[in-house]
Amino acid sequence: MLNSTVVGRVDITPELMILQVKPDGGVPSFQPGQYVALGLPGSAPRYEGAPDEAEVPAADKLIKRAYSIGSSPAHGDFFEFYIAVVPNGALTSRLAVVQPGDRIFSQPKVTGTFTLDGVPAEHNLVLVSTGTGLAPFMSMVRTPTVWTAGRKITVVHGVRYPQDFAYADELASFSAQNAGFTYLPIASRADASFAGRKGRVQALFEDGSIQLTPETDHVFLCGNPAMIDDLERDLTTKQGYVVHSKKTPGNLHVEKYW
Ligand SMILES: Cc1cc2nc3c(=O)[nH]c(=O)nc-3n(C[C@H](O)[C@H](O)[C@H](O)COP(=O)(O)OP(=O)(O)OC[C@H]3O[C@@H](n4cnc5c(N)ncnc54)[C@H](O)[C@@H]3O)c2cc1C
C-alpha cells in the first residue's frame, strides 16, 4: 500500500512544510499544474497535541488527499509538495510528523486540468495564489519550456504572516534574472514592522497594481476558495474573462483546494 519514500522535508513554519516524495517506480510523467493523491494509513501517528478526531479512521484505512506538485517534470527524481497542516485534518495531522525515510502512498496516476494546455505560447501568465496554492505555480516557473520568448509571467503570493512566504528567495531570484518576471508577495496579517505589501491579493487587482489584457493574459487562481470566488466574479463580470473548462476553453483557470 505504501509505495513511496519521503526523501526531504523543509519546515517553513510549524504549520507549513515542503515535502519531497520519491515513488518506488520513479516519478511518472506529468504537466506543471497537475496533482497526485498522497496517503497514510489510519494507524500513522498524529502530531503531539492534535485535537481528538471526531471519527477515528480504521488502522488499515488509507487516508488520501490531493496535493499539487510543486516540482518540475524537467528536474529531479522525486515529487515536491507544499502542504499546510490543518489542525484537525485527517491526513495532514499525520503528514505533520513524517520524516525523511518514512514510507507514504502516492497515487501512481497524476491528474488535473489546471495546466498550460491550450494556452498560446505567446500569451502572458498571471499566476495568483494564496498559501499552499503557490505549489502548481512553482512547478510552472521551474519548467524551462514555460518561459517562451516574450512571455511575461507574474506570480502573486498571498499569505497571512510574512514568515509564510515559502519560496521567496527562489522567486526573487527569478525576478532578478528575468525582466519579464514579476513576483508580488502580499501579507494580510503583517504588523507595522513589515516593509512589504500588506493586504489581500484582491487589493492588487482593485488598485491597478495588476492590469490585465484579457486577449493576451491568462489568469490562474489557486488556493483559498474565498479568494477564487471574489476574483472569478470580478474578472468575469468586469473584464470579460471566461472560466476555462475542457468543453469551453477560456482565459481564467481555477483550482480550489477546499
Ligand atoms: C486539486 C487539489 C490540490 C490540492 N493541493 C494542495 C496542496 O498543494 N497543498 C495543500 O496543503 N493542500 C492541498 N489541497 C488540499 C488537500 O487535498 C486537503 O484537503 C488538505 O490537506 C486537508 O486534508 P486533511 O485530511 O488534513 O483535512 P480534512 O480532514 O479532509 O479536513 C478538510 C477541511 O480542512 C479545511 N482545509 C483544507 N485545506 C485547507 C488548507 N490548505 N488550509 C486551511 N483549511 C483547509 C477545509 O475546511 C476542509 O473542509 C488540494 C486540494 C485539491 C482539491
Side-chain angles (χ1 to χ4, degrees):
M1 157 163 96
L2 303 184
N3 58 0
S4 306
T5 303
V6 175
V7 293
R9 170 179 176 136
V10 179
D11 291 297
I12 305 298
T13 68
E15 290 86 33
L16 290 169
M17 62 179 162
I18 292 170
L19 267 194
Q20 293 168 337
V21 173
K22 185 174 178 172
D24 294 344
V27 171
S29 69
F30 68 96
Q31 295 181 56
Q34 291 192 299
Y35 62 89
V36 291
L38 294 179
L40 285 170
S43 58
R46 302 172 74 227
Y47 67 89
E48 211 183 307
D52 284 343
E53 292 182 286
E55 221 175 290
V56 179
D60 61 349
K61 185 188 165 208
L62 193 60
I63 308 163
K64 289 193 277 182
R65 300 286 185 268
Y67 293 94
S68 301
I69 302 165
S71 43
S72 164
H75 316 118
D77 59 353
F78 53 79
F79 285 128
E80 183 168 293
F81 302 98
Y82 180 34
I83 298 176
V85 176
V86 176
N88 52 2
L91 182 61
T92 55
S93 65
R94 291 172 169 80
L95 285 176
V97 292
V98 299
Q99 293 298 334
D102 288 351
R103 298 285 286 165
I104 188 170
F105 170 81
S106 73
Q107 188 95 44
K109 190 172 157 34
V110 180
T111 44
T113 55
F114 190 65
T115 68
L116 299 174
D117 242 9
V119 177
E122 68 279 14
H123 282 194
N124 302 319
L125 305 177
V126 180
L127 310 175
V128 183
S129 61
T130 57
T132 54
L134 180 62
F137 304 145
M138 290 311 301
S139 181
M140 290 178 188
V141 299
R142 287 168 156 178
T143 300
T145 51
V146 170
W147 296 79
T148 51
R151 167 177 275 174
K152 292 195 181 107
I153 303 178
T154 302
V155 170
V156 178
H157 191 202
V159 300
R160 283 186 291 173
Y161 302 102
Q163 59 266 33
D164 303 338
F165 285 126
Y167 298 107
D169 290 349
E170 187 173 341
L171 291 167
S173 80
F174 280 126
S175 279
Q177 288 161 25
N178 301 279
F181 183 82
T182 307
Y183 170 44
L184 296 174
I186 180 163
S188 61
R189 296 193 201 163
D191 66 22
S193 67
F194 177 59
R197 180 70 199 252
K198 299 181 194 86
R200 300 186 312 155
V201 298
Q202 290 89 318
L204 299 170
F205 291 82
E206 288 154 11
D207 72 5
S209 302
I210 297 173
Q211 299 201 0
L212 298 169
T213 306
E215 292 72 30
T216 53
D217 298 338
H218 275 248
V219 177
F220 285 71
L221 307 175
C222 187
N224 179 319
M227 175 279 284
I228 293 177
D229 289 345
D230 278 2
L231 286 179
E232 182 179 321
R233 188 190 52 242
D234 280 7
L235 296 180
T236 53
T237 58
K238 298 182 188 156
Q239 304 216 43
Y241 268 86
V242 174
V243 176
H244 177 81
S245 69
K246 257 191 179 163
K247 270 193 187 154
T248 329
N251 46 5
L252 179 60
H253 309 251
V254 298
E255 186 91 292
K256 286 185 188 175
Y257 274 4
W258 72 93

